[in-house]
Amino acid sequence: MPPSRRLVESLIDAGLRYLKRRLGHTELAGVEVKSSKINLFFRVREEKVVKVVINIRKNTVRVYSGATSLDIGLKRVLQRVLEWRGDAGGV
């Protein structure tokens, strides 16, 4: 069962807010929603893309940007959104 639209939107909003606060100009480059995974692509600056892979079944978040501190911070923000979803009781 694919994740709900509300969950995907809240993950996108949280990611955009964090990256804009840290890096300035940020835009959403793409979203792929599969049955158990959500792939988010954020464009920060002209040449750099941050890839985020969220596994719904395992409740894990993986961030690929090349900057360790950015990866840790963004992962923490998105993990918190996933945990709130679990407390609410629905996908």
Side-chain angles (χ1 to χ4, degrees):
M1 182 173 164
S4 71
R5 182 180 187 93
R6 194 175 85 194
L7 174 63
V8 175
E9 288 175 355
S10 60
L11 288 166
I12 291 170
D13 289 343
L16 279 173
R17 266 186 282 128
Y18 178 79
L19 290 172
K20 281 183 181 179
R21 190 171 64 238
R22 284 285 306 266
L23 301 172
H25 178 73
T26 302
E27 62 186 31
L28 184 66
V31 179
E32 295 175 2
V33 178
K34 300 178 182 175
S35 63
S36 64
K37 286 187 180 178
I38 303 170
N39 296 333
L40 304 176
F41 302 94
F42 299 102
R43 181 169 289 121
V44 292
R45 301 186 201 111
E46 291 298 319
E47 71 284 347
K48 189 167 176 117
V49 174
V50 176
K51 178 181 178 184
V52 179
V53 178
I54 302 162
N55 189 322
I56 300 300
R57 290 198 181 123
K58 295 180 182 176
N59 267 358
T60 59
V61 178
R62 298 172 80 190
V63 180
Y64 304 96
S65 72
T68 305
S69 64
L70 183 71
D71 290 356
I72 292 170
L74 183 56
K75 179 178 178 177
R76 185 176 296 143
V77 167
L78 296 177
Q79 191 72 45
R80 196 174 306 141
V81 172
L82 273 181
E83 289 169 4
W84 286 340
R85 182 228 11 145
D87 292 341
V91 174

